[in-house]
PDB file of all heavy atoms in Angstrom:
ATOM      1  N   GLN A   1     -18.223 234.798  12.896  1.00 86.00           N
ATOM      2  CA  GLN A   1     -18.748 234.895  11.532  1.00 86.00           C
ATOM      3  C   GLN A   1     -18.434 233.666  10.677  1.00 86.00           C
ATOM      4  O   GLN A   1     -18.495 233.739   9.450  1.00 86.00           O
ATOM      5  CB  GLN A   1     -18.235 236.164  10.843  1.00 86.00           C
ATOM      6  CG  GLN A   1     -18.685 237.449  11.522  1.00 86.00           C
ATOM      7  CD  GLN A   1     -18.200 238.692  10.825  1.00 86.00           C
ATOM      8  OE1 GLN A   1     -17.212 238.676  10.098  1.00 86.00           O
ATOM      9  NE2 GLN A   1     -18.900 239.804  11.026  1.00 86.00           N
ATOM     10  N   HIS A   2     -18.097 232.546  11.316  1.00 92.00           N
ATOM     11  CA  HIS A   2     -17.848 231.315  10.568  1.00 92.00           C
ATOM     12  C   HIS A   2     -18.586 230.153  11.234  1.00 92.00           C
ATOM     13  O   HIS A   2     -18.874 230.188  12.435  1.00 92.00           O
ATOM     14  CB  HIS A   2     -16.355 230.995  10.509  1.00 92.00           C
ATOM     15  CG  HIS A   2     -15.558 231.962   9.696  1.00 92.00           C
ATOM     16  ND1 HIS A   2     -15.702 232.068   8.321  1.00 92.00           N
ATOM     17  CD2 HIS A   2     -14.620 232.865  10.051  1.00 92.00           C
ATOM     18  CE1 HIS A   2     -14.876 232.994   7.868  1.00 92.00           C
ATOM     19  NE2 HIS A   2     -14.213 233.501   8.894  1.00 92.00           N
ATOM     20  N   ARG A   3     -18.853 229.120  10.460  1.00 92.00           N
ATOM     21  CA  ARG A   3     -19.495 227.937  11.000  1.00 92.00           C
ATOM     22  C   ARG A   3     -18.525 227.157  11.888  1.00 92.00           C
ATOM     23  O   ARG A   3     -17.316 227.143  11.650  1.00 92.00           O
ATOM     24  CB  ARG A   3     -19.983 227.032   9.860  1.00 92.00           C
ATOM     25  CG  ARG A   3     -21.017 227.684   8.959  1.00 92.00           C
ATOM     26  CD  ARG A   3     -21.719 226.653   8.085  1.00 92.00           C
ATOM     27  NE  ARG A   3     -20.841 225.989   7.158  1.00 92.00           N
ATOM     28  CZ  ARG A   3     -20.593 226.402   5.923  1.00 92.00           C
ATOM     29  NH1 ARG A   3     -21.154 227.510   5.483  1.00 92.00           N
ATOM     30  NH2 ARG A   3     -19.800 225.727   5.128  1.00 92.00           N
ATOM     31  N   ASP A   4     -19.077 226.473  12.892  1.00 95.00           N
ATOM     32  CA  ASP A   4     -18.262 225.628  13.756  1.00 95.00           C
ATOM     33  C   ASP A   4     -17.781 224.403  12.986  1.00 95.00           C
ATOM     34  O   ASP A   4     -18.444 223.921  12.054  1.00 95.00           O
ATOM     35  CB  ASP A   4     -19.067 225.152  14.962  1.00 95.00           C
ATOM     36  CG  ASP A   4     -19.389 226.275  15.938  1.00 95.00           C
ATOM     37  OD1 ASP A   4     -18.920 227.408  15.704  1.00 95.00           O
ATOM     38  OD2 ASP A   4     -20.102 226.005  16.910  1.00 95.00           O
ATOM     39  N   VAL A   5     -16.638 223.886  13.409  1.00 96.00           N
ATOM     40  CA  VAL A   5     -16.122 222.629  12.877  1.00 96.00           C
ATOM     41  C   VAL A   5     -15.724 221.752  14.063  1.00 96.00           C
ATOM     42  O   VAL A   5     -15.008 222.203  14.959  1.00 96.00           O
ATOM     43  CB  VAL A   5     -14.891 222.833  11.970  1.00 96.00           C
ATOM     44  CG1 VAL A   5     -14.441 221.498  11.378  1.00 96.00           C
ATOM     45  CG2 VAL A   5     -15.195 223.827  10.863  1.00 96.00           C
ATOM     46  N   VAL A   6     -16.210 220.525  14.087  1.00 97.00           N
ATOM     47  CA  VAL A   6     -15.846 219.574  15.130  1.00 97.00           C
ATOM     48  C   VAL A   6     -14.763 218.637  14.601  1.00 97.00           C
ATOM     49  O   VAL A   6     -14.918 218.049  13.519  1.00 97.00           O
ATOM     50  CB  VAL A   6     -17.063 218.748  15.594  1.00 97.00           C
ATOM     51  CG1 VAL A   6     -16.634 217.634  16.554  1.00 97.00           C
ATOM     52  CG2 VAL A   6     -18.093 219.653  16.265  1.00 97.00           C
ATOM     53  N   PHE A   7     -13.670 218.525  15.338  1.00 97.00           N
ATOM     54  CA  PHE A   7     -12.572 217.629  14.992  1.00 97.00           C
ATOM     55  C   PHE A   7     -12.567 216.457  15.968  1.00 97.00           C
ATOM     56  O   PHE A   7     -12.645 216.655  17.182  1.00 97.00           O
ATOM     57  CB  PHE A   7     -11.228 218.351  15.078  1.00 97.00           C
ATOM     58  CG  PHE A   7     -10.994 219.362  14.002  1.00 97.00           C
ATOM     59  CD1 PHE A   7     -11.533 220.635  14.097  1.00 97.00           C
ATOM     60  CD2 PHE A   7     -10.237 219.044  12.878  1.00 97.00           C
ATOM     61  CE1 PHE A   7     -11.326 221.579  13.102  1.00 97.00           C
ATOM     62  CE2 PHE A   7     -10.020 219.981  11.875  1.00 97.00           C
ATOM     63  CZ  PHE A   7     -10.570 221.249  11.993  1.00 97.00           C
ATOM     64  N   LEU A   8     -12.471 215.245  15.435  1.00 97.00           N
ATOM     65  CA  LEU A   8     -12.321 214.054  16.254  1.00 97.00           C
ATOM     66  C   LEU A   8     -10.936 213.467  15.994  1.00 97.00           C
ATOM     67  O   LEU A   8     -10.624 213.078  14.856  1.00 97.00           O
ATOM     68  CB  LEU A   8     -13.416 213.044  15.943  1.00 97.00           C
ATOM     69  CG  LEU A   8     -14.821 213.524  16.354  1.00 97.00           C
ATOM     70  CD1 LEU A   8     -15.885 212.621  15.752  1.00 97.00           C
ATOM     71  CD2 LEU A   8     -14.960 213.569  17.861  1.00 97.00           C
ATOM     72  N   PHE A   9     -10.110 213.431  17.033  1.00 97.00           N
ATOM     73  CA  PHE A   9      -8.728 212.983  16.921  1.00 97.00           C
ATOM     74  C   PHE A   9      -8.581 211.597  17.533  1.00 97.00           C
ATOM     75  O   PHE A   9      -9.125 211.321  18.602  1.00 97.00           O
ATOM     76  CB  PHE A   9      -7.788 213.948  17.655  1.00 97.00           C
ATOM     77  CG  PHE A   9      -7.856 215.367  17.171  1.00 97.00           C
ATOM     78  CD1 PHE A   9      -8.567 216.326  17.879  1.00 97.00           C
ATOM     79  CD2 PHE A   9      -7.215 215.744  16.005  1.00 97.00           C
ATOM     80  CE1 PHE A   9      -8.632 217.648  17.444  1.00 97.00           C
ATOM     81  CE2 PHE A   9      -7.272 217.069  15.547  1.00 97.00           C
ATOM     82  CZ  PHE A   9      -7.982 218.016  16.273  1.00 97.00           C
ATOM     83  N   ASP A  10      -7.827 210.724  16.846  1.00 96.00           N
ATOM     84  CA  ASP A  10      -7.519 209.410  17.392  1.00 96.00           C
ATOM     85  C   ASP A  10      -6.805 209.585  18.732  1.00 96.00           C
ATOM     86  O   ASP A  10      -5.815 210.299  18.842  1.00 96.00           O
ATOM     87  CB  ASP A  10      -6.627 208.644  16.415  1.00 96.00           C
ATOM     88  CG  ASP A  10      -6.419 207.205  16.835  1.00 96.00           C
ATOM     89  OD1 ASP A  10      -5.820 206.978  17.904  1.00 96.00           O
ATOM     90  OD2 ASP A  10      -6.818 206.299  16.081  1.00 96.00           O
ATOM     91  N   LYS A  11      -7.305 208.912  19.760  1.00 95.00           N
ATOM     92  CA  LYS A  11      -6.781 209.093  21.109  1.00 95.00           C
ATOM     93  C   LYS A  11      -5.334 208.632  21.234  1.00 95.00           C
ATOM     94  O   LYS A  11      -4.575 209.156  22.054  1.00 95.00           O
ATOM     95  CB  LYS A  11      -7.651 208.325  22.104  1.00 95.00           C
ATOM     96  CG  LYS A  11      -7.446 208.707  23.560  1.00 95.00           C
ATOM     97  CD  LYS A  11      -8.484 208.031  24.439  1.00 95.00           C
ATOM     98  CE  LYS A  11      -8.317 208.431  25.891  1.00 95.00           C
ATOM     99  NZ  LYS A  11      -9.334 207.778  26.752  1.00 95.00           N
ATOM    100  N   GLU A  12      -4.906 207.664  20.405  1.00 95.00           N
ATOM    101  CA  GLU A  12      -3.549 207.121  20.501  1.00 95.00           C
ATOM    102  C   GLU A  12      -2.593 207.788  19.521  1.00 95.00           C
ATOM    103  O   GLU A  12      -1.501 208.197  19.881  1.00 95.00           O
ATOM    104  CB  GLU A  12      -3.571 205.609  20.281  1.00 95.00           C
ATOM    105  CG  GLU A  12      -4.283 204.840  21.383  1.00 95.00           C
ATOM    106  CD  GLU A  12      -4.169 203.335  21.186  1.00 95.00           C
ATOM    107  OE1 GLU A  12      -3.483 202.905  20.221  1.00 95.00           O
ATOM    108  OE2 GLU A  12      -4.768 202.593  21.984  1.00 95.00           O
ATOM    109  N   THR A  13      -3.001 207.895  18.246  1.00 95.00           N
ATOM    110  CA  THR A  13      -2.084 208.416  17.224  1.00 95.00           C
ATOM    111  C   THR A  13      -2.194 209.925  17.045  1.00 95.00           C
ATOM    112  O   THR A  13      -1.307 210.540  16.445  1.00 95.00           O
ATOM    113  CB  THR A  13      -2.375 207.765  15.864  1.00 95.00           C
ATOM    114  OG1 THR A  13      -3.676 208.174  15.405  1.00 95.00           O
ATOM    115  CG2 THR A  13      -2.331 206.239  15.967  1.00 95.00           C
ATOM    116  N   HIS A  14      -3.296 210.531  17.521  1.00 95.00           N
ATOM    117  CA  HIS A  14      -3.574 211.965  17.394  1.00 95.00           C
ATOM    118  C   HIS A  14      -3.945 212.385  15.977  1.00 95.00           C
ATOM    119  O   HIS A  14      -4.108 213.579  15.706  1.00 95.00           O
ATOM    120  CB  HIS A  14      -2.395 212.808  17.904  1.00 95.00           C
ATOM    121  CG  HIS A  14      -1.882 212.380  19.245  1.00 95.00           C
ATOM    122  ND1 HIS A  14      -2.657 212.439  20.378  1.00 95.00           N
ATOM    123  CD2 HIS A  14      -0.681 211.857  19.621  1.00 95.00           C
ATOM    124  CE1 HIS A  14      -1.950 211.993  21.411  1.00 95.00           C
ATOM    125  NE2 HIS A  14      -0.763 211.631  20.980  1.00 95.00           N
ATOM    126  N   ASP A  15      -4.076 211.440  15.051  1.00 95.00           N
ATOM    127  CA  ASP A  15      -4.502 211.763  13.692  1.00 95.00           C
ATOM    128  C   ASP A  15      -5.973 212.200  13.697  1.00 95.00           C
ATOM    129  O   ASP A  15      -6.777 211.735  14.512  1.00 95.00           O
ATOM    130  CB  ASP A  15      -4.366 210.551  12.768  1.00 95.00           C
ATOM    131  CG  ASP A  15      -2.922 210.175  12.505  1.00 95.00           C
ATOM    132  OD1 ASP A  15      -2.079 211.092  12.414  1.00 95.00           O
ATOM    133  OD2 ASP A  15      -2.631 208.970  12.392  1.00 95.00           O
ATOM    134  N   VAL A  16      -6.334 213.066  12.752  1.00 94.00           N
ATOM    135  CA  VAL A  16      -7.742 213.399  12.553  1.00 94.00           C
ATOM    136  C   VAL A  16      -8.430 212.200  11.907  1.00 94.00           C
ATOM    137  O   VAL A  16      -7.986 211.723  10.860  1.00 94.00           O
ATOM    138  CB  VAL A  16      -7.904 214.628  11.639  1.00 94.00           C
ATOM    139  CG1 VAL A  16      -9.385 214.947  11.443  1.00 94.00           C
ATOM    140  CG2 VAL A  16      -7.196 215.830  12.221  1.00 94.00           C
ATOM    141  N   VAL A  17      -9.504 211.711  12.512  1.00 94.00           N
ATOM    142  CA  VAL A  17     -10.229 210.591  11.913  1.00 94.00           C
ATOM    143  C   VAL A  17     -11.614 211.000  11.412  1.00 94.00           C
ATOM    144  O   VAL A  17     -12.228 210.291  10.619  1.00 94.00           O
ATOM    145  CB  VAL A  17     -10.351 209.405  12.895  1.00 94.00           C
ATOM    146  CG1 VAL A  17      -8.984 208.799  13.150  1.00 94.00           C
ATOM    147  CG2 VAL A  17     -11.001 209.825  14.204  1.00 94.00           C
ATOM    148  N   LYS A  18     -12.094 212.168  11.856  1.00 94.00           N
ATOM    149  CA  LYS A  18     -13.409 212.608  11.413  1.00 94.00           C
ATOM    150  C   LYS A  18     -13.550 214.096  11.694  1.00 94.00           C
ATOM    151  O   LYS A  18     -13.027 214.615  12.677  1.00 94.00           O
ATOM    152  CB  LYS A  18     -14.519 211.842  12.151  1.00 94.00           C
ATOM    153  CG  LYS A  18     -15.938 212.234  11.754  1.00 94.00           C
ATOM    154  CD  LYS A  18     -16.955 211.463  12.582  1.00 94.00           C
ATOM    155  CE  LYS A  18     -18.380 211.885  12.257  1.00 94.00           C
ATOM    156  NZ  LYS A  18     -19.390 211.187  13.100  1.00 94.00           N
ATOM    157  N   THR A  19     -14.260 214.809  10.815  1.00 94.00           N
ATOM    158  CA  THR A  19     -14.670 216.186  11.088  1.00 94.00           C
ATOM    159  C   THR A  19     -16.162 216.310  10.819  1.00 94.00           C
ATOM    160  O   THR A  19     -16.733 215.551  10.035  1.00 94.00           O
ATOM    161  CB  THR A  19     -13.906 217.222  10.239  1.00 94.00           C
ATOM    162  OG1 THR A  19     -14.141 216.961   8.850  1.00 94.00           O
ATOM    163  CG2 THR A  19     -12.417 217.191  10.535  1.00 94.00           C
ATOM    164  N   GLU A  20     -16.789 217.273  11.492  1.00 94.00           N
ATOM    165  CA  GLU A  20     -18.209 217.525  11.320  1.00 94.00           C
ATOM    166  C   GLU A  20     -18.440 219.025  11.168  1.00 94.00           C
ATOM    167  O   GLU A  20     -17.834 219.832  11.870  1.00 94.00           O
ATOM    168  CB  GLU A  20     -19.003 217.026  12.538  1.00 94.00           C
ATOM    169  CG  GLU A  20     -18.835 215.544  12.841  1.00 94.00           C
ATOM    170  CD  GLU A  20     -19.548 215.134  14.117  1.00 94.00           C
ATOM    171  OE1 GLU A  20     -20.220 216.014  14.725  1.00 94.00           O
ATOM    172  OE2 GLU A  20     -19.440 213.974  14.512  1.00 94.00           O
ATOM    173  N   THR A  21     -19.310 219.390  10.255  1.00 92.00           N
ATOM    174  CA  THR A  21     -19.725 220.786  10.107  1.00 92.00           C
ATOM    175  C   THR A  21     -21.079 220.782   9.401  1.00 92.00           C
ATOM    176  O   THR A  21     -21.738 219.747   9.316  1.00 92.00           O
ATOM    177  CB  THR A  21     -18.670 221.606   9.334  1.00 92.00           C
ATOM    178  OG1 THR A  21     -19.023 222.993   9.378  1.00 92.00           O
ATOM    179  CG2 THR A  21     -18.557 221.161   7.882  1.00 92.00           C
ATOM    180  N   LYS A  22     -21.504 221.933   8.910  1.00 88.00           N
ATOM    181  CA  LYS A  22     -22.763 222.027   8.169  1.00 88.00           C
ATOM    182  C   LYS A  22     -22.526 222.797   6.876  1.00 88.00           C
ATOM    183  O   LYS A  22     -21.724 223.722   6.839  1.00 88.00           O
ATOM    184  CB  LYS A  22     -23.848 222.720   9.008  1.00 88.00           C
ATOM    185  CG  LYS A  22     -24.318 221.900  10.198  1.00 88.00           C
ATOM    186  CD  LYS A  22     -25.448 222.602  10.922  1.00 88.00           C
ATOM    187  CE  LYS A  22     -25.942 221.760  12.090  1.00 88.00           C
ATOM    188  NZ  LYS A  22     -26.600 220.515  11.639  1.00 88.00           N
ATOM    189  N   SER A  23     -23.221 222.386   5.827  1.00 81.00           N
ATOM    190  CA  SER A  23     -23.093 223.061   4.544  1.00 81.00           C
ATOM    191  C   SER A  23     -24.255 222.634   3.667  1.00 81.00           C
ATOM    192  O   SER A  23     -25.187 221.973   4.120  1.00 81.00           O
ATOM    193  CB  SER A  23     -21.747 222.708   3.889  1.00 81.00           C
ATOM    194  OG  SER A  23     -21.553 223.471   2.714  1.00 81.00           O
ATOM    195  N   ARG A  24     -24.184 222.999   2.399  1.00 68.00           N
ATOM    196  CA  ARG A  24     -25.166 222.529   1.414  1.00 68.00           C
ATOM    197  C   ARG A  24     -24.509 222.557   0.051  1.00 68.00           C
ATOM    198  O   ARG A  24     -23.455 223.180  -0.136  1.00 68.00           O
ATOM    199  CB  ARG A  24     -26.428 223.403   1.410  1.00 68.00           C
ATOM    200  CG  ARG A  24     -26.225 224.805   0.921  1.00 68.00           C
ATOM    201  CD  ARG A  24     -27.562 225.486   0.631  1.00 68.00           C
ATOM    202  NE  ARG A  24     -28.321 225.756   1.817  1.00 68.00           N
ATOM    203  CZ  ARG A  24     -28.306 226.927   2.463  1.00 68.00           C
ATOM    204  NH1 ARG A  24     -27.520 227.902   2.026  1.00 68.00           N
ATOM    205  NH2 ARG A  24     -29.039 227.131   3.518  1.00 68.00           N
ATOM    206  N   GLY A  25     -25.097 221.858  -0.907  1.00 63.00           N
ATOM    207  CA  GLY A  25     -24.557 221.855  -2.250  1.00 63.00           C
ATOM    208  C   GLY A  25     -24.713 223.210  -2.913  1.00 63.00           C
ATOM    209  O   GLY A  25     -25.598 224.004  -2.559  1.00 63.00           O
ATOM    210  N   LEU A  26     -23.847 223.490  -3.886  1.00 59.00           N
ATOM    211  CA  LEU A  26     -23.904 224.760  -4.594  1.00 59.00           C
ATOM    212  C   LEU A  26     -25.268 224.920  -5.261  1.00 59.00           C
ATOM    213  O   LEU A  26     -25.714 224.061  -6.019  1.00 59.00           O
ATOM    214  CB  LEU A  26     -22.802 224.819  -5.641  1.00 59.00           C
ATOM    215  CG  LEU A  26     -22.631 226.158  -6.351  1.00 59.00           C
ATOM    216  CD1 LEU A  26     -22.083 227.197  -5.360  1.00 59.00           C
ATOM    217  CD2 LEU A  26     -21.691 226.023  -7.532  1.00 59.00           C
ATOM    218  N   GLY A  27     -25.933 226.014  -4.954  1.00 57.00           N
ATOM    219  CA  GLY A  27     -27.241 226.276  -5.545  1.00 57.00           C
ATOM    220  C   GLY A  27     -28.402 225.676  -4.786  1.00 57.00           C
ATOM    221  O   GLY A  27     -29.558 225.973  -5.087  1.00 57.00           O
ATOM    222  N   ASP A  28     -28.124 224.817  -3.779  1.00 61.00           N
ATOM    223  CA  ASP A  28     -29.204 224.249  -2.980  1.00 61.00           C
ATOM    224  C   ASP A  28     -29.792 225.320  -2.068  1.00 61.00           C
ATOM    225  O   ASP A  28     -29.140 226.297  -1.714  1.00 61.00           O
ATOM    226  CB  ASP A  28     -28.694 223.086  -2.121  1.00 61.00           C
ATOM    227  CG  ASP A  28     -28.358 221.871  -2.961  1.00 61.00           C
ATOM    228  OD1 ASP A  28     -28.709 221.860  -4.155  1.00 61.00           O
ATOM    229  OD2 ASP A  28     -27.741 220.935  -2.420  1.00 61.00           O
ATOM    230  N   GLU A  29     -31.024 225.106  -1.658  1.00 63.00           N
ATOM    231  CA  GLU A  29     -31.689 226.021  -0.754  1.00 63.00           C
ATOM    232  C   GLU A  29     -32.175 225.253   0.468  1.00 63.00           C
ATOM    233  O   GLU A  29     -32.141 224.031   0.509  1.00 63.00           O
ATOM    234  CB  GLU A  29     -32.858 226.718  -1.459  1.00 63.00           C
ATOM    235  CG  GLU A  29     -32.441 227.572  -2.653  1.00 63.00           C
ATOM    236  CD  GLU A  29     -33.616 228.249  -3.319  1.00 63.00           C
ATOM    237  OE1 GLU A  29     -34.764 227.970  -2.903  1.00 63.00           O
ATOM    238  OE2 GLU A  29     -33.395 229.054  -4.231  1.00 63.00           O
ATOM    239  N   GLY A  30     -32.628 226.002   1.478  1.00 65.00           N
ATOM    240  CA  GLY A  30     -33.151 225.362   2.668  1.00 65.00           C
ATOM    241  C   GLY A  30     -32.105 225.241   3.758  1.00 65.00           C
ATOM    242  O   GLY A  30     -31.076 225.914   3.743  1.00 65.00           O
ATOM    243  N   GLU A  31     -32.386 224.365   4.725  1.00 76.00           N
ATOM    244  CA  GLU A  31     -31.514 224.211   5.868  1.00 76.00           C
ATOM    245  C   GLU A  31     -30.173 223.595   5.469  1.00 76.00           C
ATOM    246  O   GLU A  31     -30.066 222.865   4.481  1.00 76.00           O
ATOM    247  CB  GLU A  31     -32.186 223.326   6.927  1.00 76.00           C
ATOM    248  CG  GLU A  31     -33.451 223.943   7.530  1.00 76.00           C
ATOM    249  CD  GLU A  31     -34.025 223.073   8.621  1.00 76.00           C
ATOM    250  OE1 GLU A  31     -33.429 222.004   8.907  1.00 76.00           O
ATOM    251  OE2 GLU A  31     -35.054 223.453   9.195  1.00 76.00           O
ATOM    252  N   LEU A  32     -29.165 223.904   6.286  1.00 80.00           N
ATOM    253  CA  LEU A  32     -27.850 223.317   6.058  1.00 80.00           C
ATOM    254  C   LEU A  32     -27.877 221.830   6.396  1.00 80.00           C
ATOM    255  O   LEU A  32     -28.586 221.397   7.300  1.00 80.00           O
ATOM    256  CB  LEU A  32     -26.801 224.020   6.928  1.00 80.00           C
ATOM    257  CG  LEU A  32     -26.585 225.514   6.662  1.00 80.00           C
ATOM    258  CD1 LEU A  32     -25.567 226.063   7.652  1.00 80.00           C
ATOM    259  CD2 LEU A  32     -26.116 225.752   5.241  1.00 80.00           C
ATOM    260  N   ALA A  33     -27.093 221.061   5.656  1.00 80.00           N
ATOM    261  CA  ALA A  33     -27.001 219.622   5.889  1.00 80.00           C
ATOM    262  C   ALA A  33     -25.834 219.315   6.820  1.00 80.00           C
ATOM    263  O   ALA A  33     -24.873 220.084   6.914  1.00 80.00           O
ATOM    264  CB  ALA A  33     -26.798 218.882   4.560  1.00 80.00           C
ATOM    265  N   ASN A  34     -25.915 218.192   7.524  1.00 83.00           N
ATOM    266  CA  ASN A  34     -24.794 217.718   8.319  1.00 83.00           C
ATOM    267  C   ASN A  34     -23.713 217.183   7.398  1.00 83.00           C
ATOM    268  O   ASN A  34     -23.981 216.394   6.494  1.00 83.00           O
ATOM    269  CB  ASN A  34     -25.236 216.612   9.277  1.00 83.00           C
ATOM    270  CG  ASN A  34     -26.176 217.110  10.345  1.00 83.00           C
ATOM    271  OD1 ASN A  34     -26.043 218.231  10.813  1.00 83.00           O
ATOM    272  ND2 ASN A  34     -27.139 216.288  10.717  1.00 83.00           N
ATOM    273  N   ILE A  35     -22.478 217.620   7.620  1.00 84.00           N
ATOM    274  CA  ILE A  35     -21.354 217.201   6.805  1.00 84.00           C
ATOM    275  C   ILE A  35     -20.383 216.449   7.704  1.00 84.00           C
ATOM    276  O   ILE A  35     -19.792 217.030   8.614  1.00 84.00           O
ATOM    277  CB  ILE A  35     -20.633 218.410   6.175  1.00 84.00           C
ATOM    278  CG1 ILE A  35     -21.605 219.266   5.372  1.00 84.00           C
ATOM    279  CG2 ILE A  35     -19.458 217.950   5.317  1.00 84.00           C
ATOM    280  CD1 ILE A  35     -22.242 218.573   4.201  1.00 84.00           C
ATOM    281  N   GLU A  36     -20.202 215.166   7.477  1.00 86.00           N
ATOM    282  CA  GLU A  36     -19.295 214.343   8.270  1.00 86.00           C
ATOM    283  C   GLU A  36     -18.268 213.717   7.344  1.00 86.00           C
ATOM    284  O   GLU A  36     -18.626 212.970   6.432  1.00 86.00           O
ATOM    285  CB  GLU A  36     -20.064 213.272   9.031  1.00 86.00           C
ATOM    286  CG  GLU A  36     -21.112 213.851   9.975  1.00 86.00           C
ATOM    287  CD  GLU A  36     -21.830 212.793  10.788  1.00 86.00           C
ATOM    288  OE1 GLU A  36     -21.492 211.606  10.634  1.00 86.00           O
ATOM    289  OE2 GLU A  36     -22.729 213.152  11.572  1.00 86.00           O
ATOM    290  N   SER A  37     -17.010 214.035   7.543  1.00 87.00           N
ATOM    291  CA  SER A  37     -15.932 213.562   6.674  1.00 87.00           C
ATOM    292  C   SER A  37     -15.020 212.642   7.463  1.00 87.00           C
ATOM    293  O   SER A  37     -14.666 212.933   8.612  1.00 87.00           O
ATOM    294  CB  SER A  37     -15.123 214.734   6.119  1.00 87.00           C
ATOM    295  OG  SER A  37     -15.968 215.589   5.374  1.00 87.00           O
ATOM    296  N   TYR A  38     -14.619 211.521   6.838  1.00 87.00           N
ATOM    297  CA  TYR A  38     -13.806 210.510   7.491  1.00 87.00           C
ATOM    298  C   TYR A  38     -12.447 210.424   6.819  1.00 87.00           C
ATOM    299  O   TYR A  38     -12.345 210.573   5.600  1.00 87.00           O
ATOM    300  CB  TYR A  38     -14.506 209.138   7.427  1.00 87.00           C
ATOM    301  CG  TYR A  38     -15.795 209.107   8.203  1.00 87.00           C
ATOM    302  CD1 TYR A  38     -16.974 209.657   7.672  1.00 87.00           C
ATOM    303  CD2 TYR A  38     -15.861 208.527   9.462  1.00 87.00           C
ATOM    304  CE1 TYR A  38     -18.162 209.632   8.394  1.00 87.00           C
ATOM    305  CE2 TYR A  38     -17.039 208.509  10.181  1.00 87.00           C
ATOM    306  CZ  TYR A  38     -18.194 209.054   9.650  1.00 87.00           C
ATOM    307  OH  TYR A  38     -19.365 209.040  10.357  1.00 87.00           O
ATOM    308  N   TYR A  39     -11.409 210.140   7.606  1.00 85.00           N
ATOM    309  CA  TYR A  39     -10.026 210.122   7.096  1.00 85.00           C
ATOM    310  C   TYR A  39      -9.347 208.829   7.529  1.00 85.00           C
ATOM    311  O   TYR A  39      -9.505 208.367   8.646  1.00 85.00           O
ATOM    312  CB  TYR A  39      -9.241 211.324   7.637  1.00 85.00           C
ATOM    313  CG  TYR A  39      -9.995 212.615   7.473  1.00 85.00           C
ATOM    314  CD1 TYR A  39     -10.851 213.074   8.473  1.00 85.00           C
ATOM    315  CD2 TYR A  39      -9.874 213.366   6.315  1.00 85.00           C
ATOM    316  CE1 TYR A  39     -11.562 214.257   8.317  1.00 85.00           C
ATOM    317  CE2 TYR A  39     -10.582 214.542   6.149  1.00 85.00           C
ATOM    318  CZ  TYR A  39     -11.422 214.986   7.151  1.00 85.00           C
ATOM    319  OH  TYR A  39     -12.127 216.149   6.990  1.00 85.00           O
ATOM    320  N   SER A  40      -8.535 208.288   6.596  1.00 76.00           N
ATOM    321  CA  SER A  40      -7.825 207.039   6.902  1.00 76.00           C
ATOM    322  C   SER A  40      -6.640 206.905   5.948  1.00 76.00           C
ATOM    323  O   SER A  40      -6.396 207.788   5.103  1.00 76.00           O
ATOM    324  CB  SER A  40      -8.756 205.838   6.742  1.00 76.00           C
ATOM    325  OG  SER A  40      -9.259 205.744   5.412  1.00 76.00           O
ATOM    326  N   GLU A  41      -5.896 205.810   6.085  1.00 71.00           N
ATOM    327  CA  GLU A  41      -4.760 205.501   5.204  1.00 71.00           C
ATOM    328  C   GLU A  41      -3.747 206.627   5.181  1.00 71.00           C
ATOM    329  O   GLU A  41      -3.306 207.088   4.124  1.00 71.00           O
ATOM    330  CB  GLU A  41      -5.255 205.197   3.779  1.00 71.00           C
ATOM    331  CG  GLU A  41      -6.227 204.033   3.718  1.00 71.00           C
ATOM    332  CD  GLU A  41      -6.749 203.787   2.321  1.00 71.00           C
ATOM    333  OE1 GLU A  41      -6.082 204.227   1.356  1.00 71.00           O
ATOM    334  OE2 GLU A  41      -7.812 203.174   2.175  1.00 71.00           O
TER     335      GLU A  41
END
């Protein structure tokens, strides 16, 4: 009952460097958008 989330982990440091899922803006309609978030520092 929840959307999938893809985690991409740095092969050497094991830190999360990117996640992927689907969503939409509040009040938006239609198909879900691809959501790709990047992490650093």
Side-chain angles (χ1 to χ4, degrees):
Q1 297 181 337
H2 292 293
R3 298 195 296 269
D4 291 356
V5 183
V6 173
F7 289 81
L8 293 168
F9 302 101
D10 188 296
K11 195 172 182 180
E12 293 185 3
T13 66
H14 312 297
D15 291 324
V16 180
V17 293
K18 180 182 177 183
T19 60
E20 302 175 3
T21 188
K22 291 184 178 293
S23 186
R24 67 166 69 95
L26 187 69
D28 289 349
E29 298 180 355
E31 295 183 1
L32 298 177
N34 293 325
I35 304 298
E36 301 183 1
S37 300
Y38 295 79
Y39 311 90
S40 60
E41 301 178 21

